[in-house]
């Protein structure tokens, strides 16, 4: 099962890379730099999935108090942070030639930045909470509040009118079918990549826990 | 399985702190109106056991019933019935003796509340100090106030965690007399180091060591005899 | 409701006698005020946006500092642990504490506010302070914004104190979460100071009120899990 998932992810990511570079047509206004947008969308989508997994796993942890939900939440948050960092980097690379700036405080970017900060705090909280049960409980509570906070952050950030164009949504104009195919393949690829990473990370985490329970020291 | 038969019942109670097991399969049953004293060295799990019974912390595994209610699911119903006294007074320093009683007592249904407060303060010989801030009281006095506050709502089941440590002679005498007068109808579980105080009031005895019940008896053993039992049961600890 | 008021009364009394929040907030605010004045080179022609930002940064920084200190009182002697033994609903404990903290923080803010107006606004160009037009709406926003950051501040102060990092943890946890309060409160206050009609900031006001409601509800539900002791 792990092998199948690995090869499937590998094949899809190779396909996504090929489609991004060669299959998708060059965007008329932005030119080649627009191609990075597929990976940008892929990472931000997978990061969203990751943080939703953190949210759901945290609720389950509070109700059931079984360690596996805590492990799942933690591993998912780690991978989410990685993906979100990639989102911000690819977004900046795209924004420099198109908007003329690496960064601007428009609602989507502000929200993304705060999202990043919130999960950074989540990881700090985990390292600084104390005992195992307390760490799991506190971080689960923080994750739930943070997840609920995000839409409010987004709405309040929109009070100042933003400049972020809606690229693929309604009003974004017609989109070439080839572009759509590329986007869908990339999204699927990153989703599988996330699932793969999450599976591996939880496996390692469980092994660490077992070692620790036997009295061995880890890290 | 008669859930109502015992005032307190645990079946296979387990608790871990992190990966460290503190309680490993505790089976205990205390009948209505019985007085159980739990002895054991430091770190045996006595306080943890009492904290779980008093709904302070959650059990890790097994079943625990207090007055027939499950401690995992029916905490609020248990809380109405129990009282807890520990060596830590848990009083508000910046409130007066009276305010401390009034505040905590208000969360229970206590009939004729004001008179009850006065009576209980008389009982622990503190009525004259009812308007003194707790921060100005001596340790022994605070301990007596803590006892008064716990008895305010007339709890059916009383948990005592090392209640005698820190009490002065007068306080210990008051506590002993109160416990003695309650014995008839209240269920009491006490943990202690002190063999003399521990044995004088109890009906049942248990010894806890390394998270397990290593000795339990429904009869009160003689003091000299008990010393030997304790030494032979306890493998580790502070060797009293 | 009766239980919430009981806890409010007790918390308020304890707080009043120990005097943690008020002096902490007041002195810290004065210091911040001084720092901001120096940073602005003692000019009084600062625009309303900056004034609003300065006021809210001062309120939030000094407020959180005071809340952190205030909760450490509760931990003293474990009196809080005894409260948890009583059959009172954990949500009420949170709500009572929230009420008491809000009142204390608001009282402190009321003392600080005139100083700000004195230092920053009275000489400002075109700043006309009318009671119904400026002061009253301003106080209204102050209440709503304060409820917003105190709701999360109260909640997380009990968490932060139980972590290894203790007081350091509180601002870390709370600041990113209360961004909406900062954005809306500062925005509304500067609109008010500019003399704009209420329509102009109605949406911000809605967001602020929603924030308050959402997080008071969420925190009072989660408070039980927060203080539930798993033992380690």
């Amino acid at each position: 099962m792990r092998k199948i998932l690995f090869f499937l992810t590998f094949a899809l990511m190779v396909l996504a890379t090929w489609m991004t570079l060669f299959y998708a047509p060059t965007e008329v206004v932005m030119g080649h730099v627009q191609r990075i947008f597929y990976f940008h969308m892929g990472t931000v989508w997978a990061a969203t999935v990751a943080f939703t997994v953190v949210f759901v796993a945290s609720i389950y942890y509070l109700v059931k108090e079984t360690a596996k939900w805590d492990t799942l939440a933690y591993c998912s948050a780690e991978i989410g942070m990685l993906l979100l960092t990639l989102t911000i980097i690819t977004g900046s690379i795209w924004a420099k030639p198109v908007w003329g700036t690496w960064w601007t405080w428009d609602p989507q970017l502000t929200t993304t930045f705060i999202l990043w900060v919130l999960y950074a705090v989540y990881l700090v909280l985990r390292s600084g909470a104390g005992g195992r049960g307390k760490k799991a409980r506190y971080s689960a509570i923080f994750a739930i509040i943070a997840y609920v906070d995000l839409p409010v952050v987004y709405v309040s950030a929109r009070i100042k009118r933003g400049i972020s164009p809606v690229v693929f949504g309604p009003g974004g104009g017609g989109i070439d079918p080839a572009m759509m195919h590329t986007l869908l393949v990339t999204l699927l690829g990153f989703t599988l990549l996330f699932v793969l990473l999450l599976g591996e990370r939880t496996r390692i985490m469980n092994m660490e826990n077992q070692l620790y329970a036997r009295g061995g020291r880890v890290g | 399985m008669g859930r109502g038969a015992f005032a307190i019942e645990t079946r296979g109670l387990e608790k871990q702190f992190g990966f460290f097991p503190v309680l490993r399969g505790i089976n205990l049953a205390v009948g209505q109106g019985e007085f159980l004293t739990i002895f054991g060295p430091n770190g045996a799990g006595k306080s943890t056991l009492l904290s779980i019974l008093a709904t302070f912390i959650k059990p890790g595994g097994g079943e625990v019933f207090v007055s027939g209610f499950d401690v995992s699911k029916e905490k609020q119903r248990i809380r109405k019935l129990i009282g807890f006294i520990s060596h830590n007074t848990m009083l508000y320093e910046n409130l007066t003796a009276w305010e401390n009683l009034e505040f905590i007592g208000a969360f229970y249904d206590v009939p004729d509340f004001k008179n009850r407060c006065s009576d209980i303060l008389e009982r622990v010989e503190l009525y004259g100090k009812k308007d003194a801030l707790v921060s100005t009281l001596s340790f022994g006095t605070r301990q007596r106030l803590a006892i008064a506050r716990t008895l305010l709502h007339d709890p059916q089941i009383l948990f005592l965690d090392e209640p005698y440590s820190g009490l002065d002679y007068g306080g210990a005498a008051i506590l002993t007399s109160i416990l003695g007068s309650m014995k008839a109808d209240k269920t009491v579980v006490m943990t202690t180091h002190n063999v003399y105080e521990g044995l004088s009031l109890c009906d049942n005895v248990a010894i806890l060591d390394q998270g397990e019940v290593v000795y339990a008896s429904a009869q009160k053993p003689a003091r000299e005899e008990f010393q030997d039992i304790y030494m032979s049961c306890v493998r580790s600890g502070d060797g009293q | 409701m009766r239980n919430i008021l009981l806890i409010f009364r007790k918390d308020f009394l304890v707080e009043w006698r120990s005097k943690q929040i008020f002096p902490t907030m007041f002195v810290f605010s004065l210091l911040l005020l001084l720092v901001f004045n120096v940073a602005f080179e003692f000019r009084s022609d600062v625009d309303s946006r900056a004034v609003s930002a300065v006021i809210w940064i001062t309120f939030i920084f000094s407020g959180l500092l005071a809340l952190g200190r205030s909760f450490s009182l509760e931990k003293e002697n474990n009196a809080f642990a005894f409260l948890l033994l009583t059959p009172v609903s954990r949500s009420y404990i949170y709500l009572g504490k929230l009420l008491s903290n809000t009142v204390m923080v608001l009282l402190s803010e009321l003392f600080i506010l005139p100083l700000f107006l004195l230092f920053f606004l009275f000489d400002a160009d075109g700043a006309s302070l009318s009671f119904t037009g400026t002061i009253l709406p301003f106080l209204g926003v102050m209440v709503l914004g304060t409820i917003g950051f105190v709701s999360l501040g109260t909640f997380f102060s009990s968490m932060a104190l139980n972590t290894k990092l203790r007081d350091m943890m509180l601002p870390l946890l709370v600041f990113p979460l209360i961004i909406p309060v900062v954005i809306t409160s500062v925005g509304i206050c500067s609109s008010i100071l500019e003399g704009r009609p209420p329509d102009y900031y109605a949406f911000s006001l809605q967001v602020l009120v929603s924030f308050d409601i959402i997080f008071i509800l969420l925190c009072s539900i989660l408070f039980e899990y927060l203080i539930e002791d798993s033992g380690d």
Side-chain angles (χ1 to χ4, degrees):
Chain A
M1 185 62 202
R2 271 175 60 213
K3 280 226 170 79
I4 298 171
L5 182 64
F6 177 78
F7 284 115
L8 205 59
T9 310
F10 184 73
L12 259 175
M13 289 306 284
V14 170
L15 180 64
T17 313
W18 176 78
M19 285 177 91
T20 299
L21 293 178
F22 302 107
Y23 176 75
T26 310
E27 216 267 350
V28 186
V29 187
M30 302 181 221
H32 281 302
V33 72
Q34 183 266 346
R35 293 181 191 274
I36 203 172
F37 222 87
Y38 299 111
F39 271 49
H40 181 63
M41 292 297 280
T43 51
V44 78
W45 160 253
T48 312
V49 173
F51 293 131
T52 308
V53 170
V54 179
F55 176 65
V56 175
S58 296
I59 293 176
Y60 269 96
Y61 178 78
L62 284 188
V63 176
K64 308 247 187 225
E65 279 208 27
T66 39
K68 69 170 184 186
W69 291 111
D70 177 53
T71 309
L72 185 66
Y74 172 59
C75 296
S76 191
E78 257 186 9
I79 300 165
M81 274 301 276
L82 175 71
L83 290 164
L84 196 67
T85 310
L86 288 175
T87 306
I88 293 175
I89 293 171
T90 50
S92 277
I93 293 172
W94 176 83
K96 181 60 182 165
V98 177
W99 288 345
T101 172
W102 297 107
W103 186 263
T104 168
W105 291 102
D106 100 314
Q108 278 164 24
L109 272 70
T110 310
T111 311
T112 311
F113 179 72
I114 292 170
L115 179 63
W116 195 91
V117 171
L118 281 172
Y119 286 92
V121 169
Y122 175 87
L123 295 177
V124 172
L125 178 62
R126 290 197 67 99
S127 67
R132 202 180 137 75
K134 193 190 275 177
K135 177 167 80 180
R137 204 154 36 91
Y138 284 3
S139 53
I141 289 170
F142 184 78
I144 292 169
I145 293 184
Y147 196 83
V148 173
D149 192 54
L150 271 177
V152 190
V153 170
Y154 183 68
V155 171
S156 63
R158 277 188 72 116
I159 290 169
K160 256 187 72 188
R161 199 164 296 277
I163 60 161
S164 202
V166 186
V167 180
F168 291 112
I175 170 170
D176 192 299
M179 284 181 168
M180 200 44 142
H181 298 153
T182 311
L183 181 65
L184 289 178
V185 170
T186 316
L187 290 187
L188 190 62
F190 271 98
T191 313
L192 284 188
L193 180 66
F194 164 70
V195 175
L196 179 74
L197 286 174
L198 185 61
E200 294 302 306
R201 185 70 187 95
T202 0
R203 222 165 53 85
I204 294 170
M205 192 78 189
N206 284 334
M207 291 196 292
E208 278 181 19
N209 286 346
Q210 277 168 12
L211 269 179
Y212 190 65
R214 281 189 206 154
R217 287 202 63 81
V218 179
Chain B
M1 310 285 268
R3 262 179 66 167
F6 295 102
I8 292 159
E9 191 179 3
T10 73
R11 287 190 216 121
L13 168 60
E14 288 174 4
K15 180 73 191 171
Q16 291 195 341
F17 286 166
F19 293 107
F20 179 74
V22 183
L23 298 177
R24 342 173 179 217
I26 303 277
N27 294 303
L28 267 183
V30 184
Q32 218 84 42
E34 284 180 356
F35 193 126
L36 168 71
T37 303
I38 301 173
F39 294 92
N42 289 330
K46 302 187 302 276
S47 288
T48 307
L49 174 60
L50 225 52
S51 300
I52 289 173
L53 294 178
T55 73
F56 264 133
I57 63 179
K58 292 179 181 174
E63 291 176 300
V64 183
F65 298 104
V66 174
S67 197
F69 299 118
D70 188 332
V71 292
S72 309
K73 295 180 194 121
E74 297 159 302
K75 289 195 207 83
Q76 295 296 58
R77 307 186 73 157
I78 294 173
R79 283 172 182 145
K80 283 185 184 160
L81 302 170
I82 61 171
F84 189 89
I85 296 173
S86 85
H87 48 283
N88 196 338
T89 54
M90 306 195 278
L91 295 161
Y92 287 97
E93 298 265 322
N94 282 306
L95 297 183
T96 65
W98 182 267
E99 283 164 349
N100 261 295
L101 285 191
E102 200 180 27
F103 173 60
I104 290 298
F107 299 122
Y108 299 94
D109 302 319
V110 181
D112 200 11
F113 187 57
K114 289 244 151 64
N115 282 335
R116 175 73 187 157
C117 287
S118 310
D119 288 349
I120 205 91
L121 280 176
E122 294 277 11
R123 182 85 183 270
V124 296
E125 298 166 19
L126 272 182
Y127 191 75
K129 290 186 176 163
K130 73 183 171 76
D131 292 322
L133 283 180
V134 169
S135 53
T136 64
L137 300 176
S138 71
F139 187 79
T141 320
R142 289 182 202 193
Q143 189 66 282
R144 275 187 284 164
L145 179 60
I147 295 167
R149 180 184 55 177
T150 298
L151 299 178
L152 198 57
H153 62 286
D154 195 24
Q156 296 306 300
I157 299 171
L158 205 55
F159 298 110
L160 307 159
D161 189 12
E162 306 279 358
Y164 285 99
S165 68
L167 271 188
D168 53 17
Y169 185 75
I174 290 176
L175 181 60
T176 305
S177 103
I178 289 174
L179 290 178
S181 69
M182 285 176 57
K183 264 191 78 168
D185 54 335
K186 304 285 193 278
T187 310
V188 183
V189 179
M190 176 162 88
T191 68
T192 187
H193 269 117
N194 188 321
V195 176
Y196 178 78
E197 309 284 9
L199 283 180
S200 66
L201 288 162
C202 70
D203 306 314
N204 307 347
V205 179
I207 299 175
L208 210 59
D209 186 38
Q210 295 182 353
E212 285 168 341
V213 178
V214 289
Y215 174 82
S217 166
Q219 280 164 349
K220 175 159 57 172
R223 205 177 309 149
E224 300 75 22
E225 188 191 340
F226 183 72
Q227 295 277 21
D228 294 340
I229 296 170
Y230 186 93
M231 294 311 285
S232 65
C233 288
V234 173
R235 290 159 288 166
S236 68
D238 53 7
Q240 302 191 9
Chain C
M1 194 62 208
R2 173 178 153 271
N3 286 344
I4 299 175
L5 288 176
L6 275 170
I7 290 168
F8 163 67
R9 205 176 64 124
K10 184 273 301 175
D11 277 335
F12 195 78
L13 211 60
V14 170
E15 178 53 46
W16 190 256
R17 288 191 186 144
S18 62
K19 298 183 185 57
Q20 296 282 316
I21 289 182
F22 183 79
T24 314
M25 265 197 88
F26 193 74
V27 175
F28 193 70
S29 301
L30 282 182
L31 284 174
L32 276 179
L33 182 64
L34 179 71
V35 170
F36 278 122
N37 261 299
V38 173
F40 286 129
E41 296 176 316
F42 303 104
R43 281 155 48 163
S44 50
D45 57 341
V46 187
D47 76 347
S48 58
R49 183 85 202 180
V51 174
S52 312
V54 165
I55 291 179
W56 278 102
I57 290 171
T58 306
F59 283 174
I60 290 172
F61 268 70
S62 55
L64 283 182
L65 194 78
L67 288 183
R69 275 178 64 84
S70 153
F71 199 81
S72 60
L73 264 191
E74 190 80 76
K75 294 284 292 181
E76 229 173 63
N77 249 336
N78 261 338
F80 190 63
F82 199 88
L83 181 58
L84 297 184
L85 264 186
T86 64
V88 63
S89 156
R90 270 89 259 262
S91 307
Y92 293 165
I93 298 179
Y94 168 73
L95 291 172
K97 204 166 254 319
L98 169 63
L99 198 60
S100 143
N101 282 342
T102 308
V103 170
M104 283 311 294
V105 171
L106 273 174
L107 279 179
S108 318
E109 287 175 357
L110 273 182
F111 276 87
I112 299 157
L113 192 62
L115 293 170
F116 268 92
L117 299 181
L118 184 72
F119 285 120
F120 279 107
L121 276 183
F122 271 120
D123 302 324
D125 297 337
S128 54
L129 298 176
S130 78
F131 183 72
T132 47
T134 314
I135 306 286
L136 216 54
F138 199 99
L139 291 179
V141 179
M142 220 173 84
V143 173
L144 291 175
T146 302
I147 292 175
F149 81 82
V150 173
S151 66
L152 284 169
T154 303
F155 185 83
F156 282 111
S157 63
S158 54
M159 180 190 283
L161 263 181
N162 283 316
T163 63
K164 280 190 292 191
L165 293 175
R166 299 177 77 85
D167 296 20
M168 258 302 293
M169 206 65 219
L170 182 60
L172 224 53
L173 292 167
V174 177
F175 282 141
L177 290 170
I178 57 170
I179 294 291
V181 177
V182 179
I183 295 176
T184 54
S185 301
V186 173
I188 299 169
C189 283
S190 75
S191 305
I192 291 172
L193 291 177
E194 284 164 7
R196 307 231 189 221
D199 293 4
Y200 187 79
Y201 51 77
F203 182 65
S204 296
L205 209 55
Q206 284 170 6
V207 175
L208 184 55
V209 172
S210 320
F211 184 96
D212 290 356
I213 295 172
I214 290 172
F215 286 99
I216 288 176
L217 281 179
L218 191 60
C219 288
S220 54
I221 294 167
L222 288 177
F223 197 65
E224 179 172 352
Y225 296 100
L226 176 66
I227 56 182
E228 194 75 56
D229 209 335
S230 58
D232 62 339

